């Protein structure tokens, strides 16, 4: 197995080879390796939720309301008799999808603007730098809540509301890194070879700033998942018709005194995922960004 | 010299404040849909009602005039009228601000009481079992959604043990004369010990909910900053001079280690402000955060807009204060 993997790695191009070596390094960090497995399991849970869920997530059965966890309902039932385990499986879809989509948007906008601002400097750079500083004055949750208040609950509204403030950190990180890389000799060499600005940015600088972007993006996925849950908890995130962990925890508030499991268990499921993502991010940082540039 | 720099830094914040005002102003106008229609929403308002609301919000005027009216209104302290509560927004904010400030200070206190000793001790013995357990705990604290942690605290301390109340700021049966709006201060001023104790009991769970999350972040920062400074030459020199170890840690290392800690604390004020909103909602705390959330549901967007502005300005002010604290921690830093 190891030999085959090794042979494949030798044949592969630079990018996949470095991904492979990152995987090798990560395996030495036991916590990060376990975290990677946990994240993988959650993704599988989300993908195969329809096959794994013992009950339809929105099926109400008033005769079976507030059943404690047991053989029939592994994680019990909520105030409408819905199976909490099935709803948690479907909730994983929402959380993971929102987290990944929001971070992807942030990376696409933030990194492309950051590269251009750091590379070309000038007016474009000062406009976006000032604007990003201004946006930083609006705390994440507050800007997202304000935007959701106007847009109304909805899946894509939520993704946009999270990305609106989230790109700023990727912009600042990639701009700073680009500025630092600019002074390196290989950029001068690429210039003297007559490469265009775009070629230098995409082929020369970008590969060198990708590691710290990956670290920040990983940590931010966990953060976005918590934000999504917070907004859904407050009732301004995912609409109530879609099972989401945040709204499940919120629904359990009313019955906290008689049925502890309704709020508690989805919260633990949420926390384990976020913890795994954070551990994975920390592990990746040790491998990819040892100078500890990215703040958590 | 220091004073001059501080004044310069304060003047530098003015464009940021103006920028915040402009973003808040355009926020409501750039989003899709007619704000008046969104606000009156399901109430099937007549054309006349919509027009009068539009006039009240100056939405019938050209944009530059609206912007001027908004900025000059803010400067005069006139923030408009709440549609839902029919009260001036400035009054609403003034009523809800003291409980929020009181809660935030309590959160800070909880966070410092946990994070400072944990951060310092883990840095003195990196790799020890205490270091590993608390740092795992800190990562858990960072990964834990604070609204869920609040519910767990209620479940354990209120439902199970019955020690602390689950909502509000003070028991309805207690009579406390309002002087400053800060209930702990009012209770002390009037010498009302029963009320003081009750206010502290109400404060405990919400402050712990967010305080623990904040402590988790800060303990990690304090630890890594302490690890760095403990390796510095001046620490070695102090030891060589025969300074006692506690003095080395407190006077030489900690003071310098606090510089990055203060920066991160300033940046994380945003997390505190957002977290307040959640904690106030869970514990029915009569502060700004709960006002915002309830205003969203009553479509009272004038209040939402002003509160968002206030949050952003608080963030700017907090980071201004951080920069000023810097100069006292390390006089060499230029602002």
């Amino acid at each position: 197995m190891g030999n085959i993997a090794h042979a494949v790695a030798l044949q592969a191009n630079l990018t996949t080879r470095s991904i492979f070596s990152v995987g090798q390094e990560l395996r030495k960090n036991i916590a990060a390796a376990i975290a990677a497995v946990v994240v993988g399991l959650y993704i599988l849970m989300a993908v195969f939720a329809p096959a794994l869920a013992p009950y339809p997530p929105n099926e109400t059965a008033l005769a079976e309301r507030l059943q404690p966890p047991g053989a029939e309902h592994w994680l019990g039932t909520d105030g409408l008799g819905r199976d909490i385990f099935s709803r948690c499986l479907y909730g994983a879809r929402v959380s993971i999808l929102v987290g990944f989509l929001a971070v992807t948007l942030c990376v696409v906008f933030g990194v492309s603007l950051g590269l251009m601002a750091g590379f070309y400097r000038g007016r474009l750079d000062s406009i976006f730098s000032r604007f990003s500083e201004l946006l930083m004055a609006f705390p994440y949750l507050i800007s997202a809540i304000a935007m959701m208040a106007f847009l109304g609950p909805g899946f894509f509204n939520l993704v946009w509301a999270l990305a609106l403030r989230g790109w700023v950190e990727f912009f600042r990180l990639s701009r700073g890194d680009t500025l630092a890389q600019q002074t390196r000799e290989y950029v001068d060499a690429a210039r003297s070879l007559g490469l265009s600005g775009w070629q230098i940015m995409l082929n020369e600088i970008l590969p060198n700033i990708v590691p710290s972007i990956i670290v920040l993006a990983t940590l931010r996925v966990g953060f976005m998942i918590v934000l999504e849950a917070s907004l859904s908890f407050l009732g301004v995130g995912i609409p109530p018709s879609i099972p989401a962990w945040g709204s499940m925890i919120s629904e359990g508030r009313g019955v906290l005194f008689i049925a502890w499991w309704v709020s508690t268990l989805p919260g633990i499921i949420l926390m384990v995922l976020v913890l795994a993502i954070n551990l994975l991010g920390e592990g990746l940082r040790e491998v990819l960004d040892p100078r500890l540039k990215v703040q958590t | 010299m220091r004073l001059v720099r501080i004044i310069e830094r304060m003047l530098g914040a003015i464009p940021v404040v103006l920028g915040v005002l402009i973003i808040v102003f355009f926020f409501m106008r750039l989003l899709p849909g007619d704000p008046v229609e969104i606000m009156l929403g399901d109430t099937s308002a007549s054309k006349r009602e919509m027009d009068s609301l539009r006039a009240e919000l100056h939405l019938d005027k050209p944009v530059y005039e609206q912007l001027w009216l908004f900025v000059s209104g803010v400067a005069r302290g006139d923030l408009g009228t709440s549609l839902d509560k029919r009260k001036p927004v400035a009054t609403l904010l003034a009523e809800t601000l003291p409980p929020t400030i009181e809660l935030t200070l309590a959160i800070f206190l909880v966070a410092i009481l946990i994070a400072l000793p944990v951060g310092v001790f883990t840095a003195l013995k990196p790799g020890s079992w205490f270091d590993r357990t608390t740092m795992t705990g800190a990562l858990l604290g960072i990964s834990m959604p604070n609204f869920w942690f609040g519910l767990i605290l209620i479940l354990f301390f209120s439902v199970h043990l019955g020690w602390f109340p689950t909502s509000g700021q003070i028991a309805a049966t207690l009579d406390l004369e309002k002087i400053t709006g800060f209930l702990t201060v009012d209770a002390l001023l009037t010498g009302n010990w029963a009320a003081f104790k009750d206010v502290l009991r109400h404060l405990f769970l919400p402050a712990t909910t967010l305080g623990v999350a904040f402590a988790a972040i800060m303990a990690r920062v304090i630890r890594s900053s302490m690890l760095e400074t403990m390796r510095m030459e001046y620490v070695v020199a102090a030891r060589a001079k025969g300074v006692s170890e506690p003095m080395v840690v407190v006077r030489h290392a900690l003071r310098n280690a606090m510089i990055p800690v203060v920066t991160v604390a300033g940046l994380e004020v945003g997390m505190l402000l957002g977290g307040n909103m959640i904690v106030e909602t869970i514990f029915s705390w009569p502060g700004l955060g709960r006002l915002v959330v309830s205003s969203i549901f009553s479509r009272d967007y004038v209040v939402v807009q002003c509160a968002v502005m206030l949050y952003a300005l608080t963030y700017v002010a907090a980071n201004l204060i951080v920069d000023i604290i810097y100069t006292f921690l390390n006089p060499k830093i230029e602002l």
Side-chain angles (χ1 to χ4, degrees):
Chain A
M1 180 63 199
N3 280 338
I4 301 169
H6 190 63
V8 171
L10 283 178
Q11 282 172 5
N13 62 29
L14 187 83
T15 338
T16 44
R17 202 160 72 212
S18 51
I19 288 172
F20 177 76
S21 64
V22 168
Q24 286 269 306
E25 291 261 337
L26 260 188
R27 257 198 281 173
K28 287 182 216 149
N29 182 338
I30 298 165
I34 296 173
V37 173
V38 172
V39 173
L41 284 177
Y42 268 83
I43 293 175
L44 287 178
M45 252 168 61
V47 172
F48 295 108
L52 294 171
Y55 298 88
N58 287 325
E59 190 185 70
T60 58
L62 290 178
E64 294 183 30
R65 343 183 8 235
L66 301 181
Q67 296 280 316
E72 191 72 12
H73 297 281
W74 291 353
L75 303 183
T77 59
D78 66 6
L80 295 172
R82 293 173 297 193
D83 182 56
I84 292 178
F85 178 64
S86 307
R87 289 176 69 72
C88 280
L89 286 176
Y90 278 87
R93 298 187 138 192
V94 170
S95 286
I96 293 173
L97 213 54
V98 168
F100 275 100
L101 282 180
V103 171
T104 307
L105 277 179
C106 292
V107 169
V108 169
F109 281 109
V111 174
S112 42
L113 286 173
L115 263 176
M116 284 195 283
F119 189 77
Y120 290 117
R121 309 294 312 267
R123 192 173 293 165
L124 179 95
D125 179 29
S126 45
I127 290 175
F128 277 104
S129 295
R130 291 296 91 71
F131 185 57
S132 72
E133 276 162 26
L134 271 182
L135 278 186
M136 293 215 0
F138 294 88
Y140 258 107
L141 190 64
I142 288 156
S143 62
I145 280 186
M147 213 171 146
M148 292 307 286
F150 286 89
L151 294 175
F155 183 84
F156 287 104
N157 290 354
L158 186 58
V159 172
W160 282 110
L162 294 178
L164 175 82
R165 169 66 176 72
W167 66 272
V168 171
E169 281 163 312
F170 290 92
F171 168 77
R172 296 174 73 86
L173 177 70
S174 51
R175 175 185 174 273
D177 277 2
T178 307
L179 281 178
Q181 295 290 334
Q182 283 258 45
T183 59
R184 304 276 287 269
E185 278 132 3
Y186 73 90
V187 177
D188 288 337
R191 277 217 177 88
S192 60
L193 282 172
L195 294 185
S196 73
W198 284 102
Q199 279 171 321
I200 298 175
M201 268 192 281
L202 294 178
N203 299 334
E204 309 295 326
I205 297 178
L206 185 61
N208 284 298
I209 67 170
V210 156
S212 44
I213 294 170
I214 291 177
V215 174
L216 182 64
T218 312
L219 293 168
R220 278 297 166 242
V221 170
F223 182 72
M224 291 293 187
I225 287 175
V226 173
L227 262 187
E228 175 271 312
S230 308
L231 291 166
S232 299
F233 176 80
L234 290 174
V236 293
I238 297 292
S241 55
I242 306 172
W245 294 337
S247 45
M248 291 172 70
I249 295 170
S250 168
E251 283 156 13
R253 269 177 75 195
V255 292
L256 195 63
F257 288 76
I258 48 171
W260 57 269
W261 56 89
V262 184
S263 279
T264 318
L265 298 179
I268 292 175
I269 289 179
L270 167 61
M271 189 170 68
V272 170
L273 173 62
V274 177
L275 182 65
I277 293 175
N278 283 340
L279 278 171
L280 183 62
E282 302 261 313
L284 284 172
R285 166 162 55 190
E286 272 168 36
V287 178
L288 294 172
D289 189 25
R291 284 158 301 147
L292 306 175
K293 243 176 345 202
V294 177
Q295 272 285 355
T296 36
Chain B
M1 266 329 274
R2 188 183 278 171
L3 191 67
V4 175
R5 284 197 204 128
I6 291 173
I7 291 171
E8 269 174 15
R9 176 66 181 77
M10 286 170 104
L11 291 176
I14 292 176
V16 182
V17 170
L18 280 176
V20 165
L21 293 187
I22 290 172
I23 287 186
V24 169
F25 171 81
F26 279 108
F27 185 74
M28 201 161 107
R29 285 152 183 88
L30 284 182
L31 286 169
D34 178 1
V36 170
E37 260 175 52
I38 298 175
M39 276 189 240
L40 294 176
D42 323 314
T43 53
S44 66
S46 69
K47 174 99 179 44
R48 245 191 55 217
E49 281 174 289
M50 287 173 87
D51 283 342
S52 82
L53 178 59
R54 201 162 278 136
E56 192 185 319
L57 299 174
H58 309 301
L59 289 170
D60 51 352
K61 297 195 173 71
V63 174
Y64 59 87
E65 208 182 319
Q66 289 180 37
L67 180 62
W68 169 245
L69 283 167
F70 177 70
V71 175
S72 61
V74 171
R76 278 180 285 121
D78 173 13
L79 304 174
T81 311
S82 153
L83 297 176
D84 183 48
K85 301 184 178 67
R86 304 300 330 171
K87 263 187 180 178
V89 176
T91 315
L92 281 173
L93 296 185
E95 280 170 9
T96 52
L97 214 48
T100 294
I101 295 174
E102 200 166 18
L103 176 59
T104 309
L105 291 177
I107 290 166
F108 246 103
L109 190 70
V110 172
I112 291 172
L113 284 179
I114 301 174
L116 204 60
V118 167
V120 171
F121 283 117
T122 50
L124 293 182
K125 288 204 169 78
S128 65
W129 67 268
F130 178 72
D131 179 32
R132 278 194 231 152
T133 347
T134 46
M135 283 306 115
T136 313
L139 198 62
L140 202 68
I142 290 172
S143 311
M144 193 166 52
N146 43 39
F147 57 93
W148 179 77
F149 185 52
L151 294 182
I152 295 296
L153 287 180
I154 290 182
L155 203 57
F156 187 70
F157 285 107
S158 303
V159 180
H160 193 65
L161 296 174
W163 286 358
F164 297 103
T166 57
S167 70
Q169 213 183 352
I170 185 168
T173 47
L174 282 167
D175 215 22
L176 180 64
E177 190 191 342
K178 278 204 175 176
I179 303 170
T180 57
F182 297 92
L183 295 195
T184 40
V185 178
D186 289 352
L188 285 178
L189 284 178
T190 52
N192 191 340
W193 288 104
F196 184 69
K197 250 177 72 184
D198 190 64
V199 171
L200 287 187
R201 282 184 61 227
H202 277 84
L203 206 50
F204 183 80
L205 288 183
T208 308
T209 302
L210 216 52
V212 166
F214 199 50
I217 300 172
M218 295 320 293
R220 281 159 55 101
V221 181
I222 293 173
R223 177 180 177 272
S224 64
S225 182
M226 272 301 281
L227 275 176
E228 199 127 308
T229 42
M230 288 300 280
R231 280 198 298 263
M232 291 291 179
E233 278 165 12
Y234 54 76
V235 171
V236 180
R239 278 206 188 108
K241 230 167 46 177
V243 178
S244 71
E245 194 61 23
M247 281 299 266
V248 170
V249 172
V250 175
R251 285 212 41 158
H252 296 264
L254 191 58
R255 186 187 159 115
N256 287 294
M258 286 317 275
I259 296 171
V261 173
V262 169
T263 323
V264 177
L267 292 172
E268 293 295 338
V269 164
M271 169 256 168
L272 271 188
L273 296 174
N276 258 333
M277 231 183 294
I278 289 192
V279 170
E280 289 183 7
T281 304
I282 296 175
F283 292 96
S284 307
W285 192 261
L288 184 61
R290 203 174 66 136
L291 175 73
V292 177
V293 175
S294 68
S295 300
I296 287 173
F297 290 109
S298 57
R299 295 166 183 277
D300 202 347
Y301 292 126
V302 185
V303 176
V304 177
Q305 189 186 25
C306 291
V308 169
M309 181 183 72
L310 193 60
Y311 277 125
L313 295 182
T314 310
Y315 185 82
V316 174
N319 280 285
L320 187 65
I321 294 170
V322 161
D323 283 355
I324 293 171
I325 294 177
Y326 261 10
T327 53
F328 288 96
L329 282 174
N330 184 354
K332 275 196 297 190
I333 291 178
E334 299 219 359
L335 283 174

